[in-house]
Amino acid sequence: MKGRAMGFAGERKIDREAHVVAAQESRRGACPTLAAPMATGDGLLVRLRPAGGALTPAQFKMLAASAAANGNGLLEISARGSLQVRGLRPETVDRLAADVEAAGILVPAGPSIELSPLHGIDPREIGNPAAIEARLRDELRIALSSPLLAPKLSIIVDGGGRFGLTGLSADIRVAALGEGRWRVAIDGDGKTAVPVCIGSADDAVRTIGQLLAMLVKIGMHSRARDIGPAALRDMFPAMEAQFVTAPHSETPRPGVHQLANRSVVLGLRPHFGQINASDLSIFLGEAERFAAAEIRLAPGRLFYLTGLNPQNAERLQEVATDLGFSSDPNDSFAKIAACAGAGACASGFYETTVRAEHLLQHASALLDGSLAVHLSGCAKGCAHPRQALTIIGMPGGYGIVLNGRAGDRPDVTIAGSEIDSAIEKLARLVGKNKSPCESAAACLTRLGRQAIANALKQE
């Protein structure tokens, strides 16, 4: 069963390098998996989403040891709460896969199904998302395994509770309404997704099956946004009446959070979501000593430790801080998205963490939370695919995109030796021109691209 779910055990070994090249050429934007790793600047990258987003400390320790032995020892938690192992080689991917299976880590094949991170243990939860996922994997197994589905097709099952997935966008969203009712919506987050059905768990599973069939019919790698309004109304004639919104939940955040009685969870965020395998192994040894039950992965590059009492949570919090895992919900590091950068990735033209430290010390005016700041070592933009204030590494220096992606044409280019000065100029420009009630993002928008570019070029 494990081998089938993971989609790699027992299969004949293949030429990983050739497979990766073919996959990159034929499926641009594909999601890297154990069966189809992605070539990056520091080797091959594999992304894992364990069933339910949960691992035991022992399982996570085995994965960390395998990442050190078979990759470059760098693990990451993605913005959506998946695990990434970096620096693998064609001959070591199978070894990692064997270690994952030996650890008993179940990685279901097919599209990602993301659950609210504290499912099953949050007393505020109003629905059972794990039960819905199990039914989807069982009853829609053939549909979910269709090669015509988009590699990055996303399905969310949100049972509600304190930390839900309201703010996370998805192709298909299933959200609990309470009393056994579920709301199915497409193409958006908890506020913007278009509702198509409200009903029982049976209704929700059947509706998702219909949506998957529509996507397959539209054509290769279609997303929910490709389903036309007319086709949607034909399939779901009652959808106009499905106006009930799912309950809002908090965005997952770090810190010690009380669940019930004396049970707490400890939420931690590694800086930029990046974890050194040796540091992780030390931390997980302490987590076992303090009787942590599970590690739950969460959006926002977070993980939660469950099953702790308040005293052990406090002790483990101190250990985490010493190893670079933040429990501060207002940590400034969380306001910067940074890729692995030079030193960890051969594609990176600069050390992103060094620039991040400079930003934190000398450009706090840009970090009021109103805009995303993206430090990308190259034009691929792996750490943040959306619009942001983006600083891109280039062969001749740096490019700055004031509101865009790493692959966009820079609004201004900066020589390598001048980037720190340019960052400070931009912060001073905001500090000088921002009105008392204005955010950094609003100030930059008001000033305009040309004025900002001119200011950055001034001596």
Side-chain angles (χ1 to χ4, degrees):
M1 178 65 183
K2 291 177 185 175
R4 176 173 298 183
M6 295 171 70
F8 60 86
E11 295 179 353
R12 181 172 57 87
K13 289 187 178 181
I14 60 176
D15 182 340
R16 293 276 182 188
E17 198 161 20
H19 179 78
V20 167
V21 171
Q24 300 296 312
E25 291 177 350
S26 63
R27 288 175 42 179
R28 184 171 179 81
C31 189
T33 64
L34 277 166
M38 177 179 289
T40 66
D42 56 344
L44 301 180
L45 179 144
V46 161
R47 184 175 298 153
L48 310 171
R49 177 172 288 278
L55 295 166
T56 66
Q59 288 175 326
F60 210 175
K61 276 178 67 177
M62 291 182 69
L63 183 58
S66 186
N70 298 304
N72 62 9
L74 184 63
L75 298 96
E76 297 173 323
I77 302 177
S78 74
R80 295 185 73 98
S82 291
L83 271 175
Q84 297 185 160
V85 180
R86 303 191 67 97
L88 297 161
R89 303 182 301 280
E91 67 272 18
T92 64
V93 174
D94 284 314
R95 297 177 204 165
L96 175 71
D99 290 342
V100 168
E101 185 174 20
I105 301 172
L106 184 65
V107 183
S112 170
I113 299 179
E114 302 162 72
L115 308 184
S116 30
L118 300 183
H119 64 86
I121 60 173
D122 186 347
R124 302 187 195 178
E125 190 174 55
I126 59 175
N128 185 347
I132 296 290
E133 181 191 17
R135 289 192 58 179
L136 294 176
R137 297 288 185 195
D138 181 36
E139 299 175 30
L140 303 181
R141 179 174 54 84
I142 294 176
L144 288 170
S145 63
S146 172
L148 297 178
L149 291 177
K152 290 191 174 182
L153 183 79
S154 55
I155 301 174
I156 280 176
V157 187
D158 190 350
R162 181 167 186 175
F163 297 125
L165 302 176
T166 304
L168 206 61
S169 183
D171 288 279
I172 301 173
R173 308 182 54 85
V174 190
L177 300 177
E179 299 179 349
R181 294 197 309 153
W182 296 84
R183 174 184 183 263
V184 181
I186 67 167
D187 188 27
D189 58 24
K191 293 182 179 179
T192 63
V194 178
V196 297
C197 173
I198 291 176
S200 65
D202 291 340
D203 295 325
V205 172
R206 181 170 55 253
T207 297
I208 294 171
Q210 292 171 308
L211 290 168
L212 294 175
M214 294 177 78
L215 291 171
V216 168
K217 185 177 180 180
I218 291 172
M220 180 74 78
H221 301 170
S222 298
R223 304 293 294 268
R225 58 179 173 266
D226 299 316
I227 301 176
L232 204 59
R233 284 192 295 270
D234 287 344
M235 180 63 71
F236 307 104
M239 63 175 286
E240 302 294 345
Q242 312 300 327
F243 58 89
V244 178
T245 59
H248 181 77
S249 55
E250 294 181 52
T251 299
R253 55 187 174 85
V256 176
H257 307 288
Q258 186 89 28
L259 288 185
N261 299 324
R262 289 179 56 78
S263 175
V264 301
V265 295
L266 172 61
L268 298 171
R269 179 186 285 118
H271 290 171
F272 314 118
Q274 298 167 8
I275 314 171
N276 181 280
S278 59
D279 290 339
L280 179 60
S281 295
I282 293 170
F283 175 75
L284 292 170
E286 293 297 291
E288 288 182 308
R289 187 164 74 89
F290 290 122
E294 285 185 323
I295 286 87
R296 297 288 187 92
L297 302 169
R301 309 182 196 278
L302 288 169
F303 64 90
Y304 289 103
L305 292 104
T306 71
L308 298 170
N309 62 42
Q311 293 76 22
N312 285 348
E314 184 175 341
R315 295 170 187 156
L316 200 52
Q317 192 174 20
E318 295 174 359
V319 174
T321 300
D322 291 340
L323 292 170
F325 304 147
S326 175
S327 59
D328 180 2
N330 298 312
D331 186 0
S332 294
F333 279 95
K335 299 171 184 176
I336 303 174
C339 67
C345 177
S347 294
F349 287 100
Y350 72 97
E351 294 183 67
T352 53
T353 53
V354 173
R355 293 283 77 75
E357 293 284 358
H358 187 84
L359 265 166
L360 291 168
Q361 293 178 24
H362 302 285
S364 59
L366 302 175
L367 301 175
D368 64 355
S370 65
L371 53 80
V373 178
H374 178 197
L375 303 182
S376 184
C378 69
K380 288 188 290 186
C382 301
H384 189 82
R386 296 174 296 281
Q387 290 184 323
L389 170 60
T390 305
I391 300 174
I392 312 145
M394 301 167 61
Y398 296 81
I400 298 179
V401 179
L402 296 171
N403 185 27
R405 299 172 177 83
D408 294 343
R409 182 177 179 179
D411 295 296
V412 61
T413 56
I414 303 294
S417 61
E418 299 174 4
I419 186 62
D420 287 343
S421 174
I423 290 171
E424 292 172 25
K425 285 180 183 178
L426 187 59
R428 286 197 298 270
L429 187 68
V430 170
K432 180 179 178 180
N433 289 278
K434 187 169 73 71
S435 64
C437 297
E438 192 176 31
S439 68
C443 179
L444 289 173
T445 299
R446 178 172 55 79
L447 292 173
R449 293 174 185 268
Q450 193 57 56
I452 297 169
N454 290 341
L456 293 180
K457 292 176 181 177
Q458 292 177 358
E459 294 296 333

